[in-house]
Amino acid sequence: MRLVHRSAGPDADAGPDADAGPDADDRKSTVLADDVDVARSTLEQGRGLMFRRAVPDGYALVFPFEEADAQWLHMLFVPFAIDALWLVDGEVRKRKRLAPFVGLGRGRADTVAELPAGAAVDVAVGDEVRLVE
């Protein structure tokens, strides 16, 4: 499973006259994480990244929810910074760097993704981020 980012920037909607070579879609998409855990149960979601010493590059923890609603993240017992993405139907609604131990974030989402700090630096609000098998 991978977490894939597709920019909503000018290149993503270049139009019919743009260079659309055989790898055009590949150039617009990047893999944010190729080692993905999905926290489906209430226990997994409650624990999140707590009590881990670190997460490797290329890792993501994804939290799917039944519907879009206010979703809170905290960094209690998490000794490293993360990048957090709040998504609704695959569209990034919010991105925030959360500080170790004291970080707190809230956003409307049906899915939340937690990545190592710096992994989502090129992700912007309005971009697409999807979990791909």
Side-chain angles (χ1 to χ4, degrees), residues 1-132:
M1 200 171 324
R2 298 175 298 148
L3 193 64
V4 178
H5 167 236
R6 184 174 176 141
S7 176
D11 291 341
D13 298 317
D17 296 329
D19 177 19
D23 297 325
D25 283 341
D26 292 337
R27 287 191 303 255
K28 296 176 200 167
S29 297
T30 57
V31 175
L32 293 175
D34 54 10
D35 179 12
V36 178
D37 286 330
V38 179
R40 295 188 192 283
S41 74
T42 303
L43 180 62
E44 291 171 325
Q45 290 177 351
R47 183 169 186 242
L49 295 173
M50 290 193 307
F51 309 112
R52 298 187 193 195
R53 292 183 181 192
V55 291
D57 290 338
Y59 177 82
L61 180 58
V62 175
F63 300 81
F65 298 100
E66 292 291 321
E67 60 186 48
D69 201 355
Q71 305 299 338
W72 286 88
L73 296 180
H74 67 82
M75 296 296 287
L76 188 63
F77 301 114
V78 181
F80 49 87
I82 65 167
D83 286 349
L85 302 173
W86 285 263
L87 314 169
V88 175
D89 295 329
E91 180 183 330
V92 177
R93 295 295 178 94
K94 182 175 182 177
R95 178 188 63 139
K96 184 175 182 181
R97 171 86 37 95
L98 299 179
F101 296 109
V102 297
L104 186 63
R106 177 180 165 259
R108 182 171 172 76
D110 60 20
T111 304
V112 174
E114 297 180 342
L115 302 133
V121 71
D122 293 329
V123 177
V125 171
D127 287 359
E128 180 182 356
V129 173
R130 298 242 182 232
L131 199 54
V132 178

